[in-house]
Amino acid sequence: MTRPPTAAQRRVIDAADPVTGRLRGTESQLAALVKRELAFRHPRPPHDHFLTPAGHRIREETATPAASSPEAAEPAQEPARESSGVFAARIGGEEGIDSGPSRIREVHSAWQGLLELRRMTNPHGVVDRPCAWERTHLVQAAALALEAAGHRPAGADTEGYRVRATPQPEAVAVRGPDAGALRECAATLEQAGWQVGEHTEPRTGARYLLASPQRI
């Protein structure tokens, strides 16, 4: 791509489903995004259009990046806030955690959308392994799997899980308030198609999970 997308194309990109990247627009707009390699047309009916990784990056240019820790075991900086109207899985540490019915419905819908994205983009339509979108959004993907399974994220002053980026490629660190919660998080991630190992931070002795998407 040599030129940035037009204002109309940017509106289509910004309006994409935040989890699946599904696009809505005119045929000419969608065709132009495909030509720029910012979108692709799914080969199976109904032949919807979805953002490519490059399209996702453009969509997130104005979004605050998720916080990450310089080391897997160290506390992370303040996590990014959700953008207005855009779904974001809770990575832990946010203020004003909402666990009401509307949030539960929102998380359920996002998880179902992610499973559909797996079905449409993974070889042979497998849904028990993470897809390419998850590999480029590791923290959000792991956090969504945990939140959708009913695990409670940590609040500003409450205990719960925390998901953070690590220096290791394709790996996130997950912390829990105690050993039992950590084991439950590990079981959830494994069921969602992640490879999980438990580790000890050498300086503090704190236990944490290192999780990576399993390969198909």
Side-chain angles (χ1 to χ4, degrees):
M1 183 182 67
T2 58
R3 294 179 292 111
T6 65
Q9 291 169 348
R10 183 56 191 259
R11 286 194 293 271
V12 173
I13 292 172
D14 289 344
D17 185 284
V19 174
T20 65
R22 190 191 299 263
L23 293 164
R24 290 289 182 268
T26 66
E27 285 299 322
S28 60
Q29 288 172 332
L30 297 174
L33 291 175
V34 170
K35 185 176 182 180
R36 290 171 174 239
E37 298 184 349
L38 298 176
F40 69 93
R41 183 174 183 267
H42 199 276
R44 293 199 294 268
H47 301 298
D48 284 331
H49 288 73
F50 297 85
L51 291 175
T52 62
H56 275 290
R57 285 194 293 272
I58 285 183
R59 186 179 186 279
E60 294 162 1
E61 279 178 354
T62 57
T64 304
S68 62
S69 56
E71 296 181 19
E74 289 192 357
Q77 300 296 318
E78 181 88 5
R81 298 292 189 269
E82 295 177 33
S83 301
S84 176
V86 178
F87 174 84
R90 300 278 163 72
I91 67 173
E94 298 90 342
E95 296 181 357
I97 294 293
D98 174 22
S99 57
S102 61
R103 178 64 185 182
I104 293 174
R105 289 192 298 269
E106 192 177 33
V107 172
H108 175 76
S109 177
W111 177 248
Q112 293 304 312
L114 184 56
L115 292 180
E116 178 65 8
L117 184 61
R118 288 183 177 188
R119 184 187 69 80
M120 291 186 298
T121 60
N122 276 344
H124 311 296
V126 299
V127 297
D128 61 350
R129 293 292 186 275
C131 61
W133 182 90
E134 292 169 272
R135 298 180 190 281
T136 58
H137 299 75
L138 293 170
V139 172
Q140 279 289 314
L144 177 55
L146 293 173
E147 191 175 1
H151 298 279
R152 184 174 179 82
D157 300 307
T158 58
E159 292 186 333
Y161 71 75
R162 295 174 184 266
V163 183
R164 298 293 185 265
T166 75
Q168 300 188 39
E170 290 205 352
V172 296
V174 180
R175 292 183 173 280
D178 53 54
L182 209 58
R183 286 193 296 270
E184 291 174 357
C185 288
T188 291
L189 290 171
E190 288 172 348
Q191 187 174 3
W194 293 66
Q195 183 174 334
V196 183
E198 190 170 337
H199 300 266
T200 301
E201 206 287 315
R203 290 178 295 176
T204 66
R207 300 290 288 173
Y208 68 96
L209 304 176
L210 201 60
S212 302
Q214 291 187 28
R215 293 289 182 180
I216 298 175

